[in-house]
Amino acid sequence: MTKESIMYSVSVILLFLASYSIAVENVVTYTSWRLENMTDLICPDSCGQDTECCACENKRSWELEGQVVNLHVKYTDIRGSSIAYIHWDDFNNNYTRLSHVNGRLRKLPTNICSFPLTVELVLDNNEIETLNGINCLSNLDSLYLTHNNLEIIRNSTFQNLKGLRNLYLGNNKIARIEPNSFNLGGGQYILNIDISSNQLESIDVTNFVLKAFCKISYSNNKKSLQIENKLNYKTVPNEKNGCGGVIEFENVSFHTFFNYSDFGLDAWNQIYKNLDLSMSLISDQLTCDCNMAELFSDGTSIAVIGKFWQQLAEYVCERPDELNGTKLIDIYKTNPEKLDLLICNITDSCPRKCHCFNQPSQDRVVVDCQGQNLKTMPENLPWGNGDRLELLLAGNNIQQMEFRPYLSRVAELDLSGNPLSHISEIAASVFPDDAKLNATGNKLSSIPRHFQNRNPTYLLLGYILITCSCDDLWMKTWLSFYHEEESHTSYICQNLGGKDITLADFTLLDCSPDSSELNIILGSLTCFVVIIIVFILGRLFLFPEIYIIYRRRLRRSVRSREFDYDAYISFYDEDDQQRKWVLRNLAKYLETLGYNLFIPVRDADLAFARDEYLRSRIQTCRSFIVILSEKYFREDRDEVEITQQAFTQFEFNTIWRLYRNDMRRNLIIINFDNLSARDISNRWVKACCRVGEIENFTERQGLLMEIIERKMSPPCGKDNEADIVGLPYRCPYDFNARHVFDGEK
């Protein structure tokens, strides 16, 4: 053998060894991976413990082991009907695949169910119009049907395909997808869904907010694509959805941004807690409105928001005109003053001739009815996402400030420039104590006595000329307490020298009471007789009221091992406004202070019989907070409301029995709808209302929260040693617990 041939042989061997080494290095290894009940998946070792990576890169074992053989198609008529068949020598294989692209199939092969181990259907570029019959393929893993003629996807289409992992339906004619069409249930998930380049005008939230997925694409559909929530879907608190997946809405212009309710949320800040996913969307005609303002609320960092909305830095406002060409990200980083321009007009319940809008940056809903020649105050006003209602009625012809239900949620009322001559007592009683009232230019000659409960600095009434009498002495005491200089109104006694009421001499009116001995004796006898009569009548007819007063005077502050929760909150949870206030305001405030709460709509386990389950939870609560509303007791014809009212009635009856029989328990009732005693059907609650043991929901600036906190004992979790060592949550028992009377320190 020549030297040259030896060198050549060595070179070939070395080249072979190098190629083999490279091939070995490029081999991808896999490890078994489980996603809930999807137990037959394998994940590349390169993903490590990254769930998002495994959700997108996983495979099934048959993909690597070569266990799949091909089916073939035979047409049976010129209309695109067909059958599938397999070669005889392939019958011993476990799985089958049907690949038939660029054909003229109008439906699936008629005998496709004869091959139940089919794992892939690759039928791109055919003329398929329906997926009837596909439900028999329970082992189907991947379905490729791009460039066909599908028009509708029903929520039953894929329900039996528990093994379906990849679904590609791009470039069809799909104009409708029923809600919950991609929810397989049972811990099985379609991980890749492509519905791009179809004819969708709307998409339901249940078809893109899924428990687990890698990628969902709705790109290149109708420009006016709308997000819907037909089933009133709600995300489950503290439950993550998405598994790190991406939802694509590229080349779909959203003229108005998403609303948080589109995602089944009660507030935008929940989206980053409940949804582990990211959105890829580009909109070239974006309306920057109140929905965007709430997107950045609650102090969420720009980094977290930018991870969720992938193109956040590219969003440019087209409307309103004042923001045309402004990048959304710049509003929050460099031009925060422009946040006030992010508003939404409100048309529902907005009075005629008025302009109503929601302005989240100021946390308010504004109703502007200025200069519209109104003779009376509007009957109804809209609700919005803001907590403050500002009603602007300046420059009209309103003569009376009358009672309106919405007055209890007004933060600012402008009645300036109106010939206002009267403010009713009932209107003053529901008007929040910290709300601002501007009524300059009025014709008032008196003000309601209920205003003595408020700070006069919130009243801007200009000049009020009063014919002072002994009945007006309360005003002098009221203004003197707050100091005259703090008032923005001049109260002038025109019959007492035209002096300010705080300086007027009321002795000229002989307001001193008669103190003769006869009157004293008669008064004492009268009082004695009245006391006897009141006692007898009270015992006969007012026992509930007397009992409520007794419980108010006698309260216990106890920590006990028997209580798992500090408070149970009972309310009519079908009411969106109540649910929003309880979860976002009341619960957040108390839980921040360390209170452990049980809220049925949030914490109840639906797997148990509701009556017995709630009774067991109520028994483990130290305090009870009842949110009283019109529908809490009232019977209604609507079946849903009757069912909910039955539960609230059951909750209250259970709560009241425990409260009466256990002096350690506290009961706090909040009058959410400003009901009077005559509006309440329950005898015990009516008694609470009559003796003032119900807290008014209209308390502002945290006063209501402070009252609730004051009525509750300190939270069981405070200074609890169990919190440190990780023991189950229990309140330590205080063997020295004693009665605590009002006013006792």
Side-chain angles (χ1 to χ4, degrees):
M1 181 178 291
T2 64
K3 182 178 180 180
E4 289 78 8
S5 61
I6 293 174
M7 293 296 294
Y8 176 76
S9 299
V10 172
S11 299
V12 170
I13 293 172
L14 292 174
L15 181 63
F16 172 77
L17 292 175
S19 300
Y20 177 78
S21 177
I22 294 173
V24 170
E25 289 179 359
N26 291 333
V27 171
V28 179
T29 57
Y30 291 83
T31 302
S32 295
W33 181 67
R34 175 173 183 166
L35 179 61
E36 290 199 25
N37 289 337
M38 299 175 72
T39 58
D40 57 344
L41 301 177
I42 54 177
C43 174
D45 291 337
S46 59
C47 286
Q49 300 298 319
D50 190 339
T51 302
E52 181 179 348
C53 177
C54 285
C56 296
E57 302 297 333
N58 70 84
K59 294 183 181 297
R60 285 193 161 107
S61 58
W62 52 261
E63 294 182 80
L64 304 179
E65 297 173 1
Q67 301 175 355
V68 184
V69 298
N70 291 323
L71 294 174
H72 305 278
V73 170
K74 178 180 179 180
Y75 287 96
T76 57
D77 58 38
I78 61 175
R79 295 189 297 258
S81 299
S82 65
I83 59 172
Y85 66 93
I86 189 173
H87 292 307
W88 286 105
D89 54 355
D90 291 329
F91 266 119
N92 293 329
N93 289 277
N94 293 327
Y95 300 105
T96 57
R97 173 194 297 111
L98 175 59
S99 178
H100 185 78
V101 298
N102 299 317
R104 51 188 176 85
L105 294 176
R106 298 185 65 180
K107 55 185 177 180
L108 300 178
T110 55
N111 66 334
I112 193 65
C113 291
S114 300
F115 304 95
L117 295 180
T118 298
V119 293
E120 283 189 356
L121 288 179
V122 184
L123 303 175
D124 300 324
N125 289 288
N126 279 275
E127 301 173 10
I128 295 176
E129 299 174 348
T130 177
L131 292 176
N132 290 342
I134 199 173
N135 269 326
C136 62
L137 302 179
S138 58
N139 291 288
L140 187 64
D141 173 85
S142 301
L143 177 60
Y144 299 87
L145 277 170
T146 63
H147 296 278
N148 277 274
N149 295 326
L150 295 174
E151 296 182 355
I152 185 173
I153 301 297
R154 301 192 181 279
N155 55 23
S156 59
T157 302
F158 306 115
Q159 286 306 297
N160 291 336
L161 306 184
K162 299 301 183 182
L164 189 60
R165 188 166 48 109
N166 304 298
L167 177 62
Y168 296 93
L169 304 178
N171 288 281
N172 276 266
K173 300 177 181 179
I174 300 173
R176 179 186 170 201
I177 302 179
E178 294 181 352
N180 270 330
S181 289
F182 306 132
N183 186 4
L184 300 179
Q188 304 286 340
Y189 305 104
I190 308 177
L191 298 179
N192 294 285
I193 303 173
D194 183 3
I195 316 291
S196 62
S197 301
N198 278 276
Q199 299 178 16
L200 290 170
E201 295 184 356
S202 63
I203 184 69
D204 195 84
V205 61
T206 57
N207 290 327
F208 64 85
V209 176
L210 304 177
K211 182 67 178 299
F213 64 90
C214 174
K215 182 179 178 181
I216 302 175
S217 178
Y218 286 102
S219 300
N220 298 299
N221 273 274
K222 293 288 187 179
K223 288 291 184 182
S224 58
L225 188 66
Q226 299 292 319
I227 304 300
E228 298 179 334
N229 192 357
K230 293 182 178 179
L231 303 181
N232 195 28
Y233 164 79
K234 293 288 185 183
T235 56
V236 179
N238 303 319
E239 180 179 289
K240 287 282 189 178
N241 290 276
C243 199
V246 178
I247 304 175
E248 292 183 349
F249 284 106
E250 296 181 359
N251 297 318
V252 177
S253 293
F254 291 96
H255 295 283
T256 58
F257 208 65
F258 296 101
N259 190 294
Y260 55 77
S261 60
D262 296 335
F263 289 84
L265 304 169
D266 291 321
W268 265 127
N269 66 320
Q270 295 178 0
I271 199 170
Y272 311 112
K273 300 177 182 177
N274 289 13
L275 303 184
D276 180 19
L277 53 89
S278 58
M279 302 283 291
S280 176
L281 64 92
I282 298 175
S283 183
D284 55 358
Q285 296 179 334
L286 202 61
T287 297
C288 295
D289 57 14
C290 65
N291 293 312
M292 282 191 170
E294 296 201 359
L295 182 68
F296 290 82
S297 63
D298 297 302
T300 306
S301 68
I302 296 292
V304 172
I305 299 172
K307 181 180 179 181
F308 190 95
W309 308 97
Q310 292 186 356
Q311 289 83 18
L312 178 67
E314 303 174 25
Y315 294 159
V316 178
C317 303
E318 183 186 54
R319 292 172 295 273
D321 293 338
E322 297 88 343
L323 294 176
N324 192 342
T326 304
K327 284 190 174 183
L328 180 62
I329 197 73
D330 290 340
I331 296 177
Y332 292 89
K333 284 188 173 181
T334 59
N335 300 297
E337 69 279 359
K338 292 185 177 181
L339 286 172
D340 288 347
L341 298 176
L342 301 180
I343 65 173
C344 289
N345 291 327
I346 303 174
T347 56
D348 187 26
S349 299
C350 185
R352 191 170 62 91
K353 298 182 180 181
C354 299
H355 178 214
C356 306
F357 60 90
N358 183 29
Q359 190 177 40
S361 63
Q362 299 295 329
D363 193 28
R364 65 177 183 172
V365 174
V366 179
V367 179
D368 188 352
C369 303
Q370 300 180 88
Q372 298 300 322
N373 198 30
L374 300 180
K375 296 184 179 180
T376 60
M377 296 174 59
E379 292 292 333
N380 298 289
L381 293 184
W383 286 89
N385 295 331
D387 292 330
R388 300 172 60 246
L389 175 61
E390 295 189 11
L391 177 56
L392 308 180
L393 297 173
N396 284 286
N397 195 29
I398 299 173
Q399 299 183 27
Q400 297 190 55
M401 179 178 165
E402 303 171 288
F403 167 74
R404 296 289 187 269
Y406 55 75
L407 284 177
S408 62
R409 53 190 178 95
V410 168
E412 185 172 331
L413 174 58
D414 187 356
L415 283 167
S416 61
N418 283 272
L420 189 68
S421 60
H422 179 67
I423 300 176
S424 72
E425 282 288 350
I426 187 171
S429 68
V430 300
F431 196 63
D433 289 340
D434 65 334
K436 297 179 181 179
L437 173 61
N438 183 351
T440 55
N442 62 75
K443 296 183 179 180
L444 291 170
S445 59
S446 64
I447 63 172
R449 184 155 187 169
H450 192 84
F451 279 173
Q452 69 181 339
N453 299 321
R454 62 167 48 248
N455 190 321
T457 58
Y458 294 125
L459 298 176
L460 182 58
L461 306 179
Y463 288 88
I464 299 183
L465 299 177
I466 306 172
T467 301
C468 291
S469 65
C470 296
D471 293 335
D472 297 315
L473 267 172
W474 69 268
M475 295 178 62
K476 183 172 183 176
T477 304
W478 169 54
L479 294 170
S480 298
F481 177 79
Y482 284 99
H483 306 296
E484 182 181 3
E485 61 271 14
E486 296 181 8
S487 176
H488 300 294
T489 306
S490 295
Y491 304 87
I492 307 300
C493 286
Q494 58 183 351
N495 60 324
L496 297 178
K499 294 182 179 181
D500 189 280
I501 195 170
T502 58
L503 303 175
D505 186 4
F506 275 77
T507 60
L508 300 175
L509 301 179
D510 193 22
C511 295
S512 300
D514 186 359
S515 58
S516 65
E517 292 183 1
L518 179 60
N519 286 338
I520 293 175
I521 295 173
L522 292 176
S524 299
L525 291 174
T526 302
C527 289
F528 179 78
V529 173
V530 168
I531 290 173
I532 296 298
I533 294 174
V534 168
F535 178 81
I536 295 173
L537 293 178
R539 188 64 184 88
L540 293 176
F541 304 106
L542 299 176
F543 174 75
E545 284 79 358
I546 295 173
Y547 179 80
I548 298 299
I549 294 173
Y550 167 74
R551 284 300 298 265
R552 180 169 61 190
R553 291 286 300 166
L554 187 63
R555 290 199 179 106
R556 267 187 176 182
S557 179
V558 173
R559 290 180 174 179
S560 172
R561 295 182 183 275
E562 299 176 11
F563 301 136
D564 292 341
Y565 299 91
D566 290 298
Y568 182 101
I569 302 181
S570 175
F571 68 106
Y572 184 83
D573 57 40
E574 291 294 326
D575 187 305
D576 291 339
Q577 293 299 324
Q578 291 186 56
R579 185 170 61 252
K580 172 183 173 182
W581 181 78
V582 169
L583 296 179
R584 293 182 58 187
N585 296 83
L586 179 59
K588 181 178 179 181
Y589 178 86
L590 293 178
E591 288 176 343
T592 300
L593 295 175
Y595 287 96
N596 188 27
L597 308 178
F598 184 88
I599 306 175
V601 70
R602 183 190 70 180
D603 304 323
D605 192 333
L606 300 181
F608 297 92
R610 182 164 182 177
D611 285 7
E612 292 303 317
Y613 177 77
L614 292 182
R615 181 183 287 110
S616 67
R617 286 295 177 267
I618 292 171
Q619 289 172 347
T620 61
C621 296
R622 178 176 51 183
S623 297
F624 309 110
I625 302 176
V626 174
I627 313 299
L628 183 62
S629 62
E630 290 184 351
K631 294 183 178 179
Y632 191 89
F633 290 118
R634 191 182 70 188
E635 296 184 359
D636 232 300
R637 295 184 179 180
D638 184 86
E639 184 177 349
V640 175
E641 294 184 346
I642 289 176
T643 302
Q644 180 58 33
Q645 287 160 359
F647 281 122
T648 55
Q649 182 73 59
F650 166 80
E651 287 180 15
F652 184 84
N653 290 341
T654 305
I655 288 170
W656 186 257
R657 282 194 298 270
L658 286 173
Y659 175 70
R660 286 194 61 187
N661 297 329
D662 190 344
M663 297 299 292
R664 300 171 300 170
R665 316 259 185 178
N666 287 334
L667 175 62
I668 304 166
I669 303 178
I670 301 172
N671 195 350
F672 188 89
D673 283 346
N674 195 44
L675 303 178
S676 62
R678 64 175 177 274
D679 298 324
I680 302 172
S681 58
N682 186 279
R683 182 67 183 89
W684 290 102
V685 179
K686 186 190 294 287
C688 290
C689 183
R690 284 176 173 170
V691 301
E693 190 60 15
I694 294 181
E695 303 305 330
N696 192 348
F697 177 73
T698 57
E699 291 285 353
R700 296 292 176 131
Q701 293 183 341
L703 293 180
L704 177 60
M705 299 301 183
E706 292 176 6
I707 291 172
I708 296 173
E709 180 187 356
R710 187 166 63 248
K711 282 196 169 185
M712 294 177 64
S713 299
C716 292
K718 272 194 176 180
D719 301 322
N720 191 353
E721 186 178 344
D723 293 340
I724 301 176
V725 300
L727 297 176
Y729 179 92
R730 293 286 181 181
C731 297
Y733 183 79
D734 182 6
F735 289 96
N736 296 316
R738 62 186 180 86
H739 291 94
V740 178
F741 292 88
D742 287 355
E744 179 180 342
K745 297 183 179 180

